[in-house]
Amino acid sequence: MRSADNAAPAETTSSPQPDRHPAPERVSPRERRVPYPLVLALLGAALAAAVVIGLAVGSVSLLPSDVAAVLVSRVFPGWIDPGWPTAYETIVLDVRLPRVLLAGVVGAGLSAVGTALQALVRNPLADPYLLGISSGASLGAVAVLVSGATLFGAFATPMVGAFAGSVATLIAVHALAGSGGRITTTRLVLAGVAVSYVLSALADLLLSTAADPHLLSSIRFWTLGSVAGAEWETLPVPVTVVLAGLAGLLWQARSLNLLFAGEEAAGTLGLDVSRFRTGMFVLVSLMTGVMVAVSGSIGFVGLMVPHAVRMLVGADHRRVLPAAALLGATFLVLADLAARTVAAPQEVQIGVLTALCGGPFFVWLLRRQAHRERGDR
Amino acid sequence: MSHHEVRPAELELRDVSRTAGGREVLSGVSLTAAPGEVVGVVGPNGAGKSTLLRTAYRYLRPASGQVLVDGTDVFRMPRRVLARRLAALPQELPAEFELTAYDVVEMGRAPHRRGLGGDRLGDERIVTVSLEMVEMAELARRPFGQLSGGEKQRVLIARALAQEPGVLILDEPTNHLDMRHQFDVLALVRRLGVTTLAALHDLNLAARFCDRMCVLVAGGVAAIGTPAEVLTESLLSEVYGVHAEVGAHPRTGIPTVFFGN
């Protein structure tokens, strides 16, 4: 009996073993998925269409062809005879375009930040809103606005406050969720929710002490997420920060991939994990802070978009990040369109709409994740 | 397999000590694995096997002593340079993010590349060859999370192979595997020709696949040598507190532990 363990002739083990799986067809590594350039092209086209529709629809409805003509004539003057009323140009270029651009940039940025955060905490349920980072940024912005302080000029003040708030929150949530060992979904979500509530309460407390009722109502609106305040003058900073941030994340895409391997394994694959993570936390907080300062807390975009994109193009960040930016931009441009139109002439906050889509999605993801954590390791 | 050039390196642990929480977890461990040698680390739970391996792949810094790969202190090498010479399999599984087996193995190319650029075709070839070496090429596109324990372990070994290392460090590579896959994984490691340091639980498997065994007890080396030198009845009763007989395997002659009582 006891020698049976060793009775198998050792030499046979090195011969190829029969495959337990059916259909062992040879699949080349890049097959089976929609070709990546095609995915990018389709997403790009979808974004362009969303932008044109976003510019056409509103209190005054324009034809998409007129919108396209106005845009083309602005980029290439003299190509097209301006056969439209000059009011069209004002509506498209001065009123609607900044808003559509801001929605697109914030959508791209939130999606990229969500993608990176999910890798950083190694958990697919991460999102700047769910982790409380947006609340931290809001609190930071509210705190400096209410205090009346001015940091780096009146315009930059809320951004500086929001950045400080988001860095502090991200560090706190990460420490709470993962003190030692692995960050489980439960701990991450609980830490995020708890921190988020405390910070929102603090922000409300600060607001209730604010003297200026006008400031109060504008901040209340903004904390729920809206791109209604977009103007050409306020665009350059968020556009620059989000685009530069995207480039930075893309540059580090391979290292983000390594985080999937786990902390120790990533180290043995040549990554200085703690240094990399710190750098990424700062970058992600900067992007979140600036976005929250201009558009408030828009939740769930950073959760939904990366998931949809991974299903399309796989997990490699070199492929996920550009696609997520395009899809996120498209999504938020359309969400803003809905925010402007569903209850017209009243405006709905865009954050309300993304939460309406994102909440059920989150529940679905949570159930799937819980199932996986219970199942085989 | 011709693309994979194995250049086994020498791994030396020189008088390595480490304390954690005021307790000495490793005390003056010295151990050398010659190029191409497979050395098994055995010992009871809590003896410091994982700590020893973690210092060897420079996750933990020793309080004193050195870890040398081909004579160079691993803590003086840039991480990426080390990752091209030394690969490790911690007891850690990749997160599930729609990662395919191919994606996991491709991580092994990271220390050879920077930024977005790189020799994409060359990488693809090395990843494919690595998957072939562990007989997982057919399942390259399968989600990693859906593989069996043995398949996951083989994919992780392929990831290490894609690093083209000279030294391989394995922390309990046969954990959670059934007997057949335990055997397969170790037979694979044996065939690679890479210098290997592996923590193992099963003494008979260790004796079957290792050139030498190092018995770790309470952070110190209790015995080191060939399986025949190390596996003695007195050592088993001293280290594990069990009474067992050691005999030669009837066909291979490899020392084998028989548990009596």
Side-chain angles (χ1 to χ4, degrees):
Chain A
M1 211 36 172
R2 62 189 178 189
S3 63
D5 293 3
N6 294 312
E11 278 65 36
T12 57
T13 54
S14 57
S15 66
Q17 53 174 341
D19 211 294
R20 296 188 292 101
H21 293 274
E25 83 276 38
R26 275 196 63 104
V27 179
S28 113
R30 303 272 175 225
E31 269 173 27
R32 279 242 185 113
R33 289 197 187 117
V34 186
Y36 187 61
L38 182 61
V39 172
L40 282 192
L42 289 175
L43 289 173
L47 176 58
V51 166
V52 169
I53 297 169
L55 292 173
V57 177
S59 51
V60 178
S61 279
L62 310 178
L63 287 173
S65 56
D66 284 341
V67 170
V70 168
L71 288 178
V72 170
S73 77
R74 174 52 59 105
V75 181
F76 305 103
W79 272 31
I80 307 171
D81 252 352
W84 53 83
T86 47
Y88 279 21
E89 290 193 19
T90 315
I91 292 170
V92 170
L93 298 174
D94 295 340
V95 178
R96 291 186 190 158
L97 189 55
R99 181 166 182 162
V100 168
L101 278 182
L102 184 63
V105 162
V106 169
L110 288 175
S111 304
V113 165
T115 305
L117 274 176
Q118 287 165 17
L120 285 166
V121 300
R122 271 190 94 200
N123 197 302
L125 288 165
D127 164 270
Y129 182 75
L130 285 171
L131 292 194
I133 304 164
S134 300
S135 308
S138 293
L139 176 61
V142 167
V144 290
L145 286 175
V146 168
S147 74
T150 309
L151 307 159
F152 306 102
F155 172 64
T157 299
M159 293 190 189
V160 175
F163 171 52
S166 55
V167 173
T169 313
L170 183 47
I171 291 167
V173 170
H174 187 256
L176 270 175
S179 41
R182 201 167 100 83
I183 299 179
T184 65
T185 300
T186 322
R187 288 172 66 169
L188 186 74
V189 172
L190 288 179
V193 167
V195 167
S196 183
Y197 267 108
V198 171
L199 296 177
S200 301
L202 280 175
D204 280 340
L205 186 68
L206 271 179
L207 280 176
S208 64
T209 65
D212 183 350
H214 177 68
L215 181 70
L216 193 74
S217 69
S218 74
I219 289 177
R220 280 260 155 80
F221 189 81
W222 157 81
T223 47
L224 282 168
S226 170
V227 289
E231 286 163 28
W232 280 113
E233 298 80 69
T234 54
L235 269 178
V237 173
V239 169
T240 311
V241 168
V242 167
L243 291 184
L246 264 172
L249 290 176
L250 200 55
W251 176 248
Q252 295 298 333
R254 218 187 247 276
S255 300
L256 285 169
N257 287 348
L258 291 186
L259 291 179
F260 284 155
E263 196 156 327
E264 287 187 42
T268 69
L269 290 162
L271 185 69
D272 187 338
V273 176
S274 57
R275 223 180 82 188
F276 176 71
R277 187 175 277 151
T278 307
M280 283 291 117
F281 275 3
V282 171
L283 178 60
V284 161
S285 302
L286 179 65
M287 292 174 74
T288 309
V290 168
M291 286 188 284
V292 168
V294 294
S295 63
S297 302
I298 299 174
F300 298 99
V301 179
L303 182 77
M304 290 185 284
V305 172
H307 274 275
V309 169
R310 280 197 206 98
M311 285 176 188
L312 270 176
V313 305
D316 188 336
H317 286 94
R318 289 168 292 182
R319 294 150 63 87
V320 171
L321 283 166
L326 287 174
L327 183 62
T330 310
F331 176 73
L332 215 60
V333 167
L334 293 177
D336 180 49
L337 177 65
R340 284 185 278 145
T341 51
V342 284
Q346 281 286 31
E347 277 220 12
V348 180
Q349 284 98 335
I350 197 169
V352 172
L353 294 181
T354 59
L356 277 177
C357 309
F361 182 84
F362 175 72
V363 171
W364 171 73
L365 214 56
L366 192 63
R367 286 178 62 99
R368 197 179 68 157
Q369 190 66 12
H371 179 73
R372 281 189 178 173
E373 281 179 11
R374 264 204 317 275
D376 61 334
R377 23 173 261 134
Chain B
M1 304 205 180
S2 56
H3 303 300
H4 254 87
E5 193 193 342
V6 173
R7 289 181 299 119
E10 183 193 68
L11 174 69
E12 184 184 354
L13 280 74
R14 196 182 281 171
D15 204 20
V16 170
S17 296
R18 176 159 170 99
T19 49
R23 197 171 67 89
E24 190 153 64
V25 189
L26 292 176
S27 43
V29 174
S30 290
L31 168 68
T32 304
E37 201 178 17
V38 176
V39 177
V41 181
V42 299
N45 288 338
K49 297 191 294 278
S50 281
T51 307
L52 181 70
L53 264 52
R54 282 171 157 177
T55 56
Y57 60 76
R58 81 161 276 181
Y59 181 71
L60 298 175
R61 191 181 280 274
S64 63
Q66 285 177 306
V67 178
L68 309 161
V69 170
D70 279 341
T72 311
D73 189 330
V74 296
F75 283 92
R76 290 177 190 275
M77 296 164 96
R79 276 173 198 273
R80 293 163 54 85
V81 174
L82 177 64
R84 288 177 219 146
R85 291 305 284 147
L86 181 146
L89 257 65
Q91 287 192 39
E92 200 178 30
L93 287 175
E96 295 185 7
F97 274 91
E98 330 281 332
L99 282 175
T100 62
Y102 185 93
D103 292 332
V104 171
V105 177
E106 205 199 11
M107 291 175 184
R109 297 308 297 159
H112 297 268
R113 303 283 174 256
R114 216 180 245 293
L116 284 177
D119 177 8
R120 201 164 264 238
L121 280 179
D123 280 355
E124 220 169 277
R125 201 178 55 224
I126 290 170
V127 171
T128 306
V129 171
S130 302
L131 279 160
E132 279 166 4
M133 287 172 83
V134 299
E135 288 159 15
M136 285 295 293
E138 273 79 26
L139 303 183
R141 281 288 115 192
R142 188 101 20 145
F144 183 81
Q146 288 176 18
L147 300 175
S148 74
E151 289 165 345
K152 282 180 181 167
Q153 205 57 261
R154 273 147 67 195
V155 168
L156 292 178
I157 290 174
R159 180 183 79 197
L161 292 178
Q163 289 174 252
E164 301 180 288
V167 179
L168 190 57
I169 294 175
L170 307 169
D171 196 354
E172 306 270 8
T174 56
N175 241 2
H176 308 291
L177 300 188
D178 60 36
M179 204 182 314
R180 185 255 179 85
H181 287 110
Q182 292 186 9
F183 221 79
D184 282 351
V185 162
L186 291 177
L188 168 68
V189 167
R190 184 77 256 184
R191 280 202 305 277
L192 296 175
V194 179
T195 313
T196 303
L197 185 66
L200 293 168
H201 236 92
D202 187 310
L203 294 174
N204 287 330
L205 274 178
R208 167 69 180 77
F209 289 104
C210 297
D211 296 307
R212 286 189 300 139
M213 290 166 71
C214 169
V215 183
L216 216 55
V217 178
V221 176
I224 187 164
T226 62
E229 290 165 353
V230 168
L231 286 183
T232 62
E233 281 152 31
S234 62
L235 182 116
L236 289 173
S237 85
E238 201 177 301
V239 169
Y240 289 93
V242 296
H243 180 73
E245 278 104 60
V246 180
H249 184 273
R251 193 176 45 75
T252 60
I254 290 167
T256 305
V257 180
F258 300 106
F259 295 100
N261 288 358

